[in-house]
Amino acid sequence: MRAAPVLLAVILLAACGQRMTEQPNRRAFETAERLPDHRVNQPPPDGSVARDELAAEQALATRPRLTAALLARGRERFEINCAPCHARTGEGDGMIVQRGFPNPPSYFEQRLVDAPDRHFLDVMTNGYGAMYSYAARVAPADRWAILAYIRALQLSRRVAAADLPDDLRAKLEGSP
């Protein structure tokens, strides 16, 4: 009686390997006789959208409200993702550059100060020159935060000390 379940299990498990180890498949660019266009790689159906693509586009469509929390998040994400090349200062002389990688532009070049926000979002999303895309590494909301921090860096170079509030000017000048 005990042999029956064991025998049944052996028979069932033996059947599992019949065609599973030898599945017919084709390489990506081979022809497929049974398909109308004879291509293995088929284009996606019309109107299909990649998973999470709409959510990412919607998150990038609307600028979030500028808050201290957004700037803090932007600084954190900037120091993780951007500073290795752009440096913490935004000058474009980060540690990776010091090791021989090409210099990215300084955020303080006039063309980047004048660039629309969309330029920075597009560069983070799609890459530019030697910079690869960060779309898979940086969430859309974090791209906005990084952009806010980049703009704060740029603004920090253009504000005169006389225009600062008294408490900040005192800190800058080293007064108690």
Side-chain angles (χ1 to χ4, degrees):
M1 219 43 191
R2 288 185 176 172
V6 173
L7 182 60
L8 181 61
V10 168
I11 290 171
L12 289 175
L13 290 175
C16 287
Q18 281 181 340
R19 298 278 297 180
M20 294 181 86
T21 57
E22 300 173 18
Q23 293 184 10
N25 57 23
R26 301 206 182 270
R27 297 194 183 274
F29 296 102
E30 283 184 303
T31 57
E33 303 81 28
R34 294 183 183 173
L35 295 173
D37 58 1
H38 302 289
R39 297 186 328 185
V40 171
N41 280 349
Q42 294 292 305
D46 289 337
S48 63
V49 177
R51 188 173 127 194
D52 297 332
E53 186 174 318
L54 287 178
E57 286 179 14
Q58 289 170 348
L60 288 173
T62 307
R63 172 197 303 275
R65 203 167 58 87
L66 184 61
T67 63
L70 182 73
L71 282 174
R73 178 70 177 180
R75 179 179 182 180
E76 175 191 60
R77 299 285 100 193
F78 179 89
E79 289 179 357
I80 291 168
N81 295 292
C82 309
C85 295
H86 291 277
R88 286 181 166 182
T89 61
E91 287 288 349
D93 58 352
M95 186 56 63
I96 301 302
V97 173
Q98 294 173 27
R99 301 277 191 262
F101 204 76
N103 282 65
S106 167
Y107 289 128
F108 308 106
E109 290 180 9
Q110 195 59 45
R111 70 178 181 86
L112 291 180
V113 170
D114 296 338
D117 292 346
R118 181 48 81 188
H119 169 76
F120 292 97
L121 292 172
D122 287 344
V123 169
M124 285 184 262
T125 302
N126 303 314
Y128 186 84
M131 178 178 159
Y132 51 82
S133 168
Y134 276 79
R137 296 166 182 86
V138 178
D142 286 340
R143 287 179 234 162
W144 277 111
I146 290 170
L147 172 60
Y149 184 70
I150 290 170
R151 292 303 193 192
L153 281 175
Q154 291 173 329
L155 185 61
S156 72
R157 294 281 181 96
R158 297 187 315 227
V159 174
D163 295 337
L164 292 173
D166 292 336
D167 60 329
L168 292 177
R169 189 171 50 243
K171 278 184 182 179
L172 182 64
E173 294 170 352
S175 303

